Amino acid sequence: MAFPILQKLESIGEAQQSDSLKMIAKDRFAFYYFVQGDYEQSIFNAIEASKLASNIGDQKKYLDYRNNVGMILSKLNEFEKTKNLFVESLKNTSVEDNPKGFLATLSNLGSSLQSLNQIDSSNVVLNEALKLSRTLNYKRGEASILKFLSKNALALEDYNKVISLVNTIESNFWEHLQLTQKDDAIFYRAQAYFNINNFSLARKDIDKTLSLMNVLKKDPAYLEVISFKSKILEAQGKYKQALSLQNEVQVLRDSFDSASRTKKVLELEKQYETEKKEKENAQLKAETIKKDLIITEKNNQLLLFFLAFIFLVGSIISWQLKKFKIKNKQLRDLITQKTKLQQELDIVRDNIAKDFHDDLGNKLARITTLSDHMLRRENIKTKTDILDALNIIKKDADELYSGTRDFMFSLKTDSDSAEDIYAYLADFAQDYLSSLDVELDLHSNITSSKKVPYYWNRQIILIFKEAITNAIKHGEATQLKLSFEYSDDKIHVECQDNGSGFDVEGLNSKNGLKNMKQRASKINCNLAITSSESGTNISLSGKVPNFEYLKIA
Protein backbone atom coordinates (compact mmCIF):
# COMPACT_ATOMS: atom_id res chain seq x y z
CA MET A 1 0.00 0.00 0.00
CA ALA A 2 2.88 2.37 0.85
CA PHE A 3 4.75 1.77 -2.42
CA PRO A 4 1.98 3.08 -4.79
CA ILE A 5 1.54 6.15 -2.60
CA LEU A 6 5.26 6.87 -2.83
CA GLN A 7 5.15 6.39 -6.61
CA LYS A 8 2.27 8.85 -6.82
CA LEU A 9 4.16 11.38 -4.71
CA GLU A 10 7.20 11.03 -6.97
CA SER A 11 5.01 11.49 -10.08
CA ILE A 12 3.49 14.67 -8.67
CA GLY A 13 6.99 15.99 -7.91
CA GLU A 14 8.07 15.22 -11.50
CA ALA A 15 4.95 16.84 -12.96
CA GLN A 16 5.35 20.00 -10.87
CA GLN A 17 9.14 19.96 -11.32
CA SER A 18 9.35 20.32 -7.55
CA ASP A 19 12.71 19.24 -6.11
CA SER A 20 11.21 19.49 -2.61
CA LEU A 21 8.50 16.90 -3.36
CA LYS A 22 10.95 14.65 -5.20
CA MET A 23 13.36 14.90 -2.25
CA ILE A 24 10.65 13.81 0.20
CA ALA A 25 9.66 10.91 -2.11
CA LYS A 26 13.27 9.68 -2.44
CA ASP A 27 13.75 9.86 1.33
CA ARG A 28 10.57 7.81 1.94
CA PHE A 29 11.65 5.29 -0.73
CA ALA A 30 15.01 4.95 1.08
CA PHE A 31 13.21 4.19 4.34
CA TYR A 32 10.79 1.80 2.60
CA TYR A 33 13.60 -0.25 1.05
CA PHE A 34 15.56 -0.16 4.33
CA VAL A 35 12.64 -1.74 6.18
CA GLN A 36 12.32 -4.31 3.37
CA GLY A 37 16.02 -5.16 3.78
CA ASP A 38 16.93 -3.99 0.25
CA TYR A 39 19.90 -1.92 1.37
CA GLU A 40 21.24 -1.24 -2.14
CA GLN A 41 18.00 0.39 -3.27
CA SER A 42 17.79 2.18 0.09
CA ILE A 43 21.30 3.65 -0.42
CA PHE A 44 20.48 4.70 -4.00
CA ASN A 45 17.35 6.60 -2.96
CA ALA A 46 19.04 8.19 0.09
CA ILE A 47 21.86 9.49 -2.16
CA GLU A 48 19.29 10.90 -4.62
CA ALA A 49 17.48 12.62 -1.73
CA SER A 50 20.75 14.20 -0.56
CA LYS A 51 21.47 15.51 -4.09
CA LEU A 52 18.01 17.11 -4.28
CA ALA A 53 18.50 18.65 -0.81
CA SER A 54 21.78 20.16 -2.04
CA ASN A 55 20.02 21.55 -5.15
CA ILE A 56 17.44 23.43 -3.09
CA GLY A 57 20.08 24.62 -0.61
CA ASP A 58 18.71 22.73 2.40
CA GLN A 59 22.01 21.95 4.16
CA LYS A 60 20.31 20.43 7.21
CA LYS A 61 18.39 17.86 5.13
CA TYR A 62 21.51 17.24 3.00
CA LEU A 63 23.53 16.31 6.06
CA ASP A 64 20.71 14.20 7.52
CA TYR A 65 20.37 12.17 4.30
CA ARG A 66 24.14 11.69 4.03
CA ASN A 67 24.16 10.36 7.59
CA ASN A 68 21.35 7.95 6.60
CA VAL A 69 23.51 6.68 3.71
CA GLY A 70 26.36 6.10 6.16
CA MET A 71 24.08 4.17 8.52
CA ILE A 72 22.91 1.88 5.70
CA LEU A 73 26.51 1.30 4.52
CA SER A 74 27.36 0.27 8.09
CA LYS A 75 24.58 -2.34 7.91
CA LEU A 76 26.42 -3.78 4.86
CA ASN A 77 29.73 -3.70 6.82
CA GLU A 78 31.08 -1.17 4.30
CA PHE A 79 32.90 0.71 7.04
CA GLU A 80 35.63 2.19 4.80
CA LYS A 81 33.02 3.68 2.47
CA THR A 82 31.11 4.90 5.51
CA LYS A 83 34.19 6.68 6.85
CA ASN A 84 34.92 8.35 3.47
CA LEU A 85 31.28 9.45 3.19
CA PHE A 86 31.34 11.17 6.60
CA VAL A 87 34.70 12.85 5.85
CA GLU A 88 33.32 14.24 2.57
CA SER A 89 30.13 15.44 4.34
CA LEU A 90 32.17 17.33 6.96
CA LYS A 91 34.16 19.06 4.19
CA ASN A 92 30.94 20.30 2.55
CA THR A 93 29.37 21.83 5.67
CA SER A 94 30.34 24.03 8.59
CA VAL A 95 29.60 23.97 12.28
CA GLU A 96 28.25 27.55 12.07
CA ASP A 97 25.56 26.68 9.46
CA ASN A 98 24.33 23.43 11.07
CA PRO A 99 25.97 22.83 14.48
CA LYS A 100 23.91 19.79 15.54
CA GLY A 101 24.10 18.19 12.08
CA PHE A 102 27.86 18.73 12.04
CA LEU A 103 28.10 17.18 15.53
CA ALA A 104 26.05 14.12 14.48
CA THR A 105 28.28 13.58 11.41
CA LEU A 106 31.44 13.94 13.52
CA SER A 107 30.10 11.36 16.01
CA ASN A 108 29.18 8.98 13.18
CA LEU A 109 32.71 9.33 11.77
CA GLY A 110 34.11 8.34 15.18
CA SER A 111 31.79 5.32 15.22
CA SER A 112 32.85 4.21 11.72
CA LEU A 113 36.53 4.47 12.69
CA GLN A 114 35.63 2.37 15.74
CA SER A 115 34.13 -0.29 13.44
CA LEU A 116 37.40 -0.25 11.40
CA ASN A 117 39.25 -0.91 14.69
CA GLN A 118 41.05 2.44 14.31
CA ILE A 119 40.53 3.17 17.97
CA ASP A 120 43.09 5.97 18.38
CA SER A 121 41.70 7.91 15.40
CA SER A 122 38.20 7.28 16.67
CA ASN A 123 39.12 8.72 20.08
CA VAL A 124 40.58 11.87 18.47
CA VAL A 125 37.39 12.48 16.45
CA LEU A 126 35.07 11.64 19.36
CA ASN A 127 36.92 13.96 21.74
CA GLU A 128 36.52 16.81 19.24
CA ALA A 129 32.82 15.97 19.03
CA LEU A 130 32.65 15.96 22.84
CA LYS A 131 34.11 19.49 22.99
CA LEU A 132 31.58 20.70 20.41
CA SER A 133 28.63 19.10 22.23
CA ARG A 134 29.66 20.86 25.44
CA THR A 135 30.05 24.18 23.59
CA LEU A 136 26.51 23.72 22.18
CA ASN A 137 25.26 22.48 25.60
CA TYR A 138 23.73 19.53 23.72
CA LYS A 139 23.28 16.92 26.47
CA ARG A 140 21.88 14.17 24.25
CA GLY A 141 24.82 14.42 21.86
CA GLU A 142 27.32 14.48 24.74
CA ALA A 143 25.75 11.35 26.28
CA SER A 144 25.93 9.46 22.97
CA ILE A 145 29.61 10.42 22.47
CA LEU A 146 30.52 9.32 26.01
CA LYS A 147 28.96 5.90 25.20
CA PHE A 148 31.15 5.60 22.07
CA LEU A 149 34.22 6.57 24.10
CA SER A 150 33.43 3.92 26.73
CA LYS A 151 33.28 1.29 23.96
CA ASN A 152 36.71 2.45 22.71
CA ALA A 153 38.10 2.26 26.25
CA LEU A 154 36.79 -1.33 26.48
CA ALA A 155 38.57 -2.20 23.21
CA LEU A 156 41.79 -0.71 24.64
CA GLU A 157 41.26 -2.73 27.86
CA ASP A 158 41.17 0.49 29.91
CA TYR A 159 38.51 -0.95 32.22
CA ASN A 160 38.67 1.76 34.90
CA LYS A 161 38.02 4.39 32.25
CA VAL A 162 35.03 2.40 30.97
CA ILE A 163 33.58 2.31 34.48
CA SER A 164 34.23 6.04 35.00
CA LEU A 165 32.61 7.05 31.69
CA VAL A 166 29.51 4.90 32.22
CA ASN A 167 29.19 6.19 35.80
CA THR A 168 29.25 9.75 34.38
CA ILE A 169 26.55 8.84 31.85
CA GLU A 170 24.38 7.20 34.51
CA SER A 171 24.78 10.16 36.92
CA ASN A 172 24.45 13.13 34.57
CA PHE A 173 22.99 12.04 31.23
CA TRP A 174 20.73 9.04 31.85
CA GLU A 175 17.52 10.80 30.88
CA HIS A 176 19.11 11.97 27.58
CA LEU A 177 19.88 8.43 26.32
CA GLN A 178 17.55 6.14 24.40
CA LEU A 179 16.90 2.69 25.87
CA THR A 180 19.03 1.06 23.15
CA GLN A 181 21.95 3.27 24.20
CA LYS A 182 21.37 2.68 27.91
CA ASP A 183 21.64 -1.12 27.70
CA ASP A 184 24.80 -0.80 25.54
CA ALA A 185 26.47 1.48 28.12
CA ILE A 186 25.59 -0.80 31.08
CA PHE A 187 26.77 -3.87 29.12
CA TYR A 188 30.17 -2.19 28.50
CA ARG A 189 30.53 -1.55 32.22
CA ALA A 190 29.51 -5.14 33.06
CA GLN A 191 32.31 -6.41 30.81
CA ALA A 192 34.77 -3.99 32.45
CA TYR A 193 33.82 -5.21 35.95
CA PHE A 194 34.18 -8.83 34.77
CA ASN A 195 37.68 -8.21 33.46
CA ILE A 196 38.82 -6.73 36.78
CA ASN A 197 37.28 -9.77 38.56
CA ASN A 198 34.47 -7.78 40.22
CA PHE A 199 31.91 -10.46 39.39
CA SER A 200 29.18 -9.22 41.76
CA LEU A 201 29.01 -5.78 40.13
CA ALA A 202 29.36 -7.38 36.71
CA ARG A 203 26.32 -9.57 37.42
CA LYS A 204 24.37 -6.59 38.80
CA ASP A 205 25.03 -4.66 35.58
CA ILE A 206 24.21 -7.63 33.33
CA ASP A 207 20.85 -8.07 35.07
CA LYS A 208 20.17 -4.35 34.57
CA THR A 209 21.11 -4.72 30.89
CA LEU A 210 18.71 -7.65 30.48
CA SER A 211 15.86 -5.70 32.10
CA LEU A 212 16.41 -2.84 29.63
CA MET A 213 16.59 -5.27 26.68
CA ASN A 214 13.38 -7.05 27.75
CA VAL A 215 11.60 -3.73 27.38
CA LEU A 216 12.88 -3.35 23.83
CA LYS A 217 12.95 -7.09 22.92
CA LYS A 218 16.36 -6.81 21.23
CA ASP A 219 16.48 -10.54 20.50
CA PRO A 220 19.80 -10.97 18.57
CA ALA A 221 21.76 -8.86 21.06
CA TYR A 222 19.89 -10.56 23.86
CA LEU A 223 21.75 -13.80 23.07
CA GLU A 224 25.12 -12.08 23.51
CA VAL A 225 24.14 -10.66 26.90
CA ILE A 226 22.70 -13.99 28.11
CA SER A 227 25.91 -15.75 27.05
CA PHE A 228 27.98 -13.17 28.94
CA LYS A 229 25.83 -13.64 32.05
CA SER A 230 26.49 -17.37 31.81
CA LYS A 231 30.19 -16.55 31.68
CA ILE A 232 29.90 -14.44 34.87
CA LEU A 233 28.03 -17.21 36.69
CA GLU A 234 30.68 -19.68 35.65
CA ALA A 235 33.41 -17.36 37.01
CA GLN A 236 31.48 -17.17 40.29
CA GLY A 237 31.38 -20.96 40.47
CA LYS A 238 27.64 -21.17 39.85
CA TYR A 239 27.97 -23.84 37.17
CA LYS A 240 24.39 -25.12 37.28
CA GLN A 241 22.93 -21.66 36.63
CA ALA A 242 25.55 -21.06 33.94
CA LEU A 243 24.63 -24.32 32.18
CA SER A 244 20.93 -23.47 32.36
CA LEU A 245 21.59 -20.14 30.64
CA GLN A 246 23.71 -21.83 27.96
CA ASN A 247 20.80 -24.17 27.20
CA GLU A 248 18.47 -21.16 27.03
CA VAL A 249 20.88 -19.51 24.58
CA GLN A 250 20.91 -22.58 22.36
CA VAL A 251 17.10 -22.80 22.33
CA LEU A 252 16.81 -19.10 21.50
CA ARG A 253 19.44 -19.39 18.76
CA ASP A 254 17.56 -22.28 17.18
CA SER A 255 14.30 -20.34 17.36
CA PHE A 256 15.95 -17.32 15.79
CA ASP A 257 17.32 -19.48 12.96
CA SER A 258 13.86 -20.94 12.41
CA ALA A 259 12.30 -17.50 12.56
CA SER A 260 14.90 -16.25 10.10
CA ARG A 261 14.06 -19.01 7.63
CA THR A 262 10.34 -18.33 8.05
CA LYS A 263 10.96 -14.64 7.52
CA LYS A 264 12.82 -15.32 4.26
CA VAL A 265 9.95 -17.45 2.95
CA LEU A 266 7.46 -14.76 3.86
CA GLU A 267 9.65 -12.17 2.18
CA LEU A 268 9.71 -14.21 -1.04
CA GLU A 269 5.93 -14.61 -0.94
CA LYS A 270 5.54 -10.90 -0.26
CA GLN A 271 7.90 -10.07 -3.11
CA TYR A 272 5.85 -12.25 -5.48
CA GLU A 273 2.60 -10.59 -4.36
CA THR A 274 4.20 -7.16 -4.71
CA GLU A 275 5.37 -7.84 -8.27
CA LYS A 276 1.93 -9.16 -9.14
CA LYS A 277 0.25 -6.06 -7.78
CA GLU A 278 2.77 -3.82 -9.52
CA LYS A 279 1.88 -5.39 -12.88
CA GLU A 280 -1.81 -4.87 -12.17
CA ASN A 281 -1.22 -1.31 -11.05
CA ALA A 282 0.99 -0.50 -14.05
CA GLN A 283 -2.06 -0.53 -16.33
CA LEU A 284 -3.83 2.00 -14.11
CA LYS A 285 -0.77 4.14 -13.50
CA ALA A 286 -1.10 6.29 -16.62
CA GLU A 287 -4.77 7.09 -15.95
CA THR A 288 -4.07 7.73 -12.28
CA ILE A 289 -1.23 10.12 -13.11
CA LYS A 290 -3.42 11.93 -15.65
CA LYS A 291 -6.23 12.35 -13.13
CA ASP A 292 -3.78 13.44 -10.48
CA LEU A 293 -2.30 16.04 -12.83
CA ILE A 294 -5.78 17.45 -13.57
CA ILE A 295 -6.58 17.61 -9.87
CA THR A 296 -3.16 19.09 -9.14
CA GLU A 297 -3.63 21.75 -11.81
CA LYS A 298 -7.00 22.74 -10.36
CA ASN A 299 -5.57 22.73 -6.88
CA ASN A 300 -2.68 24.88 -8.07
CA GLN A 301 -5.11 27.38 -9.58
CA LEU A 302 -7.04 27.53 -6.33
CA LEU A 303 -3.77 27.83 -4.42
CA LEU A 304 -2.58 30.66 -6.66
CA PHE A 305 -5.88 32.48 -6.20
CA PHE A 306 -5.69 31.96 -2.44
CA LEU A 307 -2.07 33.13 -2.32
CA ALA A 308 -2.94 36.19 -4.39
CA PHE A 309 -5.78 36.99 -2.00
CA ILE A 310 -3.50 36.50 1.02
CA PHE A 311 -0.85 38.68 -0.64
CA LEU A 312 -3.41 41.42 -1.30
CA VAL A 313 -4.71 41.33 2.27
CA GLY A 314 -1.18 41.20 3.61
CA SER A 315 -0.15 44.16 1.46
CA ILE A 316 -3.11 46.23 2.69
CA ILE A 317 -2.34 45.32 6.32
CA SER A 318 1.34 46.02 5.80
CA TRP A 319 0.56 49.39 4.19
CA GLN A 320 -1.76 50.33 7.04
CA LEU A 321 0.80 49.23 9.63
CA LYS A 322 3.52 51.18 7.85
CA LYS A 323 1.30 54.26 7.74
CA PHE A 324 0.44 53.78 11.42
CA LYS A 325 4.15 53.46 12.30
CA ILE A 326 4.95 56.62 10.34
CA LYS A 327 2.22 58.53 12.16
CA ASN A 328 3.41 57.18 15.49
CA LYS A 329 6.96 58.22 14.72
CA GLN A 330 5.81 61.67 13.62
CA LEU A 331 3.76 61.99 16.79
CA ARG A 332 6.73 60.97 18.94
CA ASP A 333 8.92 63.44 17.05
CA LEU A 334 6.31 66.15 17.56
CA ILE A 335 6.13 65.43 21.29
CA THR A 336 9.93 65.48 21.49
CA GLN A 337 10.00 68.71 19.49
CA LYS A 338 7.41 70.37 21.72
CA THR A 339 9.30 69.23 24.82
CA LYS A 340 12.49 70.67 23.40
CA LEU A 341 10.74 73.92 22.50
CA GLN A 342 9.30 74.13 26.02
CA GLN A 343 12.78 73.68 27.44
CA GLU A 344 14.09 76.38 25.14
CA LEU A 345 11.22 78.66 26.18
CA ASP A 346 12.06 78.08 29.85
CA ILE A 347 15.68 79.00 29.14
CA VAL A 348 14.56 82.16 27.30
CA ARG A 349 12.31 83.15 30.19
CA ASP A 350 15.18 82.68 32.63
CA ASN A 351 17.48 84.74 30.38
CA ILE A 352 14.86 87.51 30.04
CA ALA A 353 14.43 87.66 33.80
CA LYS A 354 18.20 87.76 34.31
CA ASP A 355 18.74 90.43 31.63
CA PHE A 356 15.92 92.52 33.05
CA HIS A 357 17.34 92.29 36.54
CA ASP A 358 20.98 92.86 35.50
CA ASP A 359 20.37 95.69 33.05
CA LEU A 360 17.06 97.48 33.40
CA GLY A 361 16.59 96.63 37.07
CA ASN A 362 19.97 98.00 38.05
CA LYS A 363 19.39 101.27 36.20
CA LEU A 364 15.98 101.72 37.81
CA ALA A 365 17.54 101.07 41.20
CA ARG A 366 20.22 103.70 40.58
CA ILE A 367 17.65 106.30 39.44
CA THR A 368 15.59 105.60 42.57
CA THR A 369 18.67 105.91 44.80
CA LEU A 370 19.79 109.24 43.24
CA SER A 371 16.26 110.64 43.41
CA ASP A 372 16.01 109.77 47.12
CA HIS A 373 19.41 111.35 47.67
CA MET A 374 18.35 114.63 46.01
CA LEU A 375 15.11 114.76 47.97
CA ARG A 376 17.00 114.76 51.22
CA ARG A 377 17.90 118.42 51.57
CA GLU A 378 20.63 117.88 54.12
CA ASN A 379 22.63 116.01 51.46
CA ILE A 380 22.37 118.74 48.79
CA LYS A 381 25.45 120.92 48.85
CA THR A 382 25.69 122.81 45.54
CA LYS A 383 23.96 123.31 42.24
CA THR A 384 26.78 121.35 40.64
CA ASP A 385 25.92 118.32 42.73
CA ILE A 386 22.31 118.58 41.60
CA LEU A 387 23.29 118.84 37.93
CA ASP A 388 25.66 115.89 38.19
CA ALA A 389 22.93 113.76 39.76
CA LEU A 390 20.43 114.87 37.10
CA ASN A 391 22.88 114.01 34.31
CA ILE A 392 23.35 110.52 35.74
CA ILE A 393 19.58 110.11 36.05
CA LYS A 394 19.10 111.31 32.45
CA LYS A 395 21.79 108.96 31.16
CA ASP A 396 20.25 106.01 33.01
CA ALA A 397 16.77 107.00 31.81
CA ASP A 398 17.99 107.16 28.20
CA GLU A 399 19.68 103.77 28.53
CA LEU A 400 16.58 102.44 30.29
CA TYR A 401 14.43 103.63 27.39
CA SER A 402 16.77 102.12 24.84
CA GLY A 403 17.02 98.87 26.80
CA THR A 404 13.25 98.69 27.23
CA ARG A 405 12.84 99.28 23.50
CA ASP A 406 15.29 96.42 22.77
CA PHE A 407 13.55 94.24 25.33
CA MET A 408 10.08 94.85 23.84
CA PHE A 409 11.36 94.28 20.31
CA SER A 410 12.77 90.88 21.24
CA LEU A 411 9.40 89.84 22.72
CA LYS A 412 7.29 90.82 19.70
CA THR A 413 6.07 87.87 17.60
CA ASP A 414 6.82 89.74 14.33
CA SER A 415 10.48 90.41 15.21
CA ASP A 416 11.80 86.95 14.34
CA SER A 417 12.69 87.55 10.67
CA ALA A 418 16.18 88.47 9.48
CA GLU A 419 14.78 91.62 7.78
CA ASP A 420 13.30 92.84 11.11
CA ILE A 421 16.60 92.36 12.98
CA TYR A 422 18.60 94.08 10.25
CA ALA A 423 16.10 96.99 10.07
CA TYR A 424 16.27 97.43 13.86
CA LEU A 425 20.09 97.54 13.86
CA ALA A 426 20.13 99.89 10.85
CA ASP A 427 17.62 102.26 12.54
CA PHE A 428 19.70 102.29 15.72
CA ALA A 429 22.91 103.04 13.80
CA GLN A 430 21.27 105.87 11.83
CA ASP A 431 19.70 107.40 14.95
CA TYR A 432 22.88 107.10 16.97
CA LEU A 433 25.13 108.55 14.27
CA SER A 434 22.70 111.20 12.95
CA SER A 435 24.19 114.02 15.02
CA LEU A 436 27.81 112.88 14.54
CA ASP A 437 30.18 113.38 11.67
CA VAL A 438 30.41 109.66 10.90
CA GLU A 439 29.98 108.04 7.49
CA LEU A 440 27.62 105.03 7.75
CA ASP A 441 27.58 102.22 5.16
CA LEU A 442 24.71 99.72 5.44
CA HIS A 443 24.71 96.46 3.50
CA SER A 444 22.34 93.44 3.55
CA ASN A 445 22.00 90.20 1.60
CA ILE A 446 19.02 88.24 2.91
CA THR A 447 17.90 85.37 0.64
CA SER A 448 16.32 83.04 3.20
CA SER A 449 12.77 83.53 4.47
CA LYS A 450 13.33 81.15 7.39
CA LYS A 451 12.53 82.66 10.77
CA VAL A 452 15.30 83.31 13.26
CA PRO A 453 14.70 81.67 16.70
CA TYR A 454 12.97 84.07 19.10
CA TYR A 455 15.88 84.24 21.52
CA TRP A 456 18.48 85.09 18.85
CA ASN A 457 17.28 88.60 17.96
CA ARG A 458 17.98 90.09 21.41
CA GLN A 459 21.51 88.64 21.58
CA ILE A 460 22.42 89.83 18.05
CA ILE A 461 21.00 93.32 18.69
CA LEU A 462 22.82 93.78 22.02
CA ILE A 463 26.14 92.51 20.57
CA PHE A 464 26.13 94.96 17.66
CA LYS A 465 24.67 97.90 19.58
CA GLU A 466 27.64 97.47 21.89
CA ALA A 467 29.97 97.22 18.87
CA ILE A 468 28.57 100.42 17.25
CA THR A 469 28.66 102.35 20.53
CA ASN A 470 32.25 101.27 21.28
CA ALA A 471 33.40 102.22 17.77
CA ILE A 472 32.30 105.85 18.32
CA LYS A 473 32.74 106.21 22.07
CA HIS A 474 36.17 104.59 22.44
CA GLY A 475 37.52 104.22 18.90
CA GLU A 476 36.45 107.70 17.70
CA ALA A 477 35.70 106.24 14.28
CA THR A 478 34.66 108.44 11.34
CA GLN A 479 33.58 105.54 9.12
CA LEU A 480 31.41 102.58 10.07
CA LYS A 481 30.08 99.71 7.96
CA LEU A 482 27.31 97.32 9.07
CA SER A 483 26.77 94.12 7.00
CA PHE A 484 23.99 91.56 7.44
CA GLU A 485 23.87 88.32 5.41
CA TYR A 486 21.43 85.40 5.78
CA SER A 487 21.17 82.48 3.34
CA ASP A 488 20.95 78.68 3.49
CA ASP A 489 20.41 78.69 7.27
CA LYS A 490 23.69 80.57 7.75
CA ILE A 491 23.80 84.03 9.31
CA HIS A 492 26.73 86.47 9.24
CA VAL A 493 26.67 89.95 10.82
CA GLU A 494 29.72 92.23 10.70
CA CYS A 495 30.62 95.67 12.02
CA GLN A 496 33.76 97.43 10.69
CA ASP A 497 35.14 100.82 11.70
CA ASN A 498 38.26 102.93 11.09
CA GLY A 499 38.75 103.84 14.72
CA SER A 500 41.93 103.81 16.76
CA GLY A 501 41.51 100.15 17.73
CA PHE A 502 42.50 98.39 20.94
CA ASP A 503 44.52 95.50 22.31
CA VAL A 504 42.15 92.52 21.97
CA GLU A 505 44.21 90.27 24.25
CA GLY A 506 44.48 92.97 26.89
CA LEU A 507 40.77 93.71 26.95
CA ASN A 508 39.45 90.13 26.70
CA SER A 509 38.60 90.09 30.39
CA LYS A 510 36.73 93.41 30.29
CA ASN A 511 32.99 93.27 30.82
CA GLY A 512 32.05 94.67 27.40
CA LEU A 513 33.92 92.11 25.26
CA LYS A 514 33.21 89.34 27.76
CA ASN A 515 29.45 90.00 27.63
CA MET A 516 29.51 90.07 23.82
CA LYS A 517 31.21 86.68 23.66
CA GLN A 518 28.85 85.23 26.27
CA ARG A 519 25.85 86.39 24.24
CA ALA A 520 27.30 84.79 21.08
CA SER A 521 27.91 81.56 22.99
CA LYS A 522 24.26 81.49 24.16
CA ILE A 523 23.11 81.12 20.56
CA ASN A 524 25.94 78.78 19.54
CA CYS A 525 27.56 81.35 17.27
CA ASN A 526 31.19 82.26 16.72
CA LEU A 527 32.22 85.86 17.53
CA ALA A 528 35.47 86.98 15.91
CA ILE A 529 37.12 90.26 17.07
CA THR A 530 40.17 91.76 15.34
CA SER A 531 41.54 95.23 16.00
CA SER A 532 44.53 97.36 14.97
CA GLU A 533 45.46 101.03 14.70
CA SER A 534 43.55 101.23 11.40
CA GLY A 535 40.26 99.98 12.82
CA THR A 536 38.23 97.17 14.40
CA ASN A 537 36.25 94.31 12.89
CA ILE A 538 33.61 92.38 14.87
CA SER A 539 31.79 89.55 13.10
CA LEU A 540 29.26 86.96 14.24
CA SER A 541 28.69 83.71 12.30
CA GLY A 542 26.45 80.75 12.96
CA LYS A 543 23.94 78.25 11.62
CA VAL A 544 20.29 78.83 12.49
CA PRO A 545 18.69 75.65 13.94
CA ASN A 546 15.45 74.21 12.59
CA PHE A 547 12.62 74.40 15.13
CA GLU A 548 9.64 74.10 12.77
CA TYR A 549 6.73 71.93 13.91
CA LEU A 550 6.36 68.52 12.35
CA LYS A 551 3.30 67.88 10.16
CA ILE A 552 1.21 64.75 10.63
CA ALA A 553 0.22 63.19 7.28
Side-chain angles (χ1 to χ4, degrees), residues 32-44:
Y32 172 81
Y33 284 119
F34 180 79
V35 173
Q36 297 297 320
D38 189 346
Y39 296 139
E40 291 182 358
Q41 278 296 322
S42 181
I43 288 174
F44 171 77

Side-chain angles (χ1 to χ4, degrees), residues 317-374:
I317 294 173
S318 176
W319 177 73
Q320 289 291 342
L321 286 174
K322 186 176 180 181
K323 186 176 179 182
F324 180 71
K325 286 180 180 178
I326 291 172
K327 286 188 176 181
N328 274 349
K329 184 179 183 303
Q330 290 176 335
L331 184 58
R332 288 196 301 270
D333 290 344
L334 180 59
I335 292 170
T336 302
Q337 184 70 19
K338 286 186 175 180
T339 302
K340 188 173 182 180
L341 287 173
Q342 183 61 46
Q343 291 171 349
E344 294 290 339
L345 182 58
D346 291 342
I347 293 171
V348 170
R349 286 173 175 169
D350 291 341
N351 287 337
I352 289 172
K354 186 176 181 299
D355 287 345
F356 185 86
H357 178 269
D358 293 346
D359 189 9
L360 306 184
N362 287 339
K363 288 181 173 58
L364 284 171
R366 190 160 69 166
I367 290 173
T368 302
T369 301
L370 287 171
S371 300
D372 289 343
H373 182 74
M374 290 175 61

Side-chain angles (χ1 to χ4, degrees), residues 101-157:
F102 188 92
L103 176 62
T105 307
L106 201 60
S107 301
N108 289 336
L109 175 60
S111 177
S112 64
L113 290 168
Q114 191 178 75
S115 300
L116 289 167
N117 204 30
Q118 299 175 11
I119 304 301
D120 291 337
S121 298
S122 175
N123 277 333
V124 171
V125 172
L126 290 173
N127 279 313
E128 287 299 317
L130 186 63
K131 291 178 186 178
L132 179 57
S133 68
R134 287 171 177 171
T135 301
L136 298 174
N137 195 26
Y138 185 35
K139 298 294 185 182
R140 184 176 179 181
E142 185 176 351
S144 178
I145 294 163
L146 289 172
K147 183 186 79 75
F148 286 138
L149 287 170
S150 65
K151 185 177 181 181
N152 281 351
L154 186 65
L156 295 173
E157 298 182 359

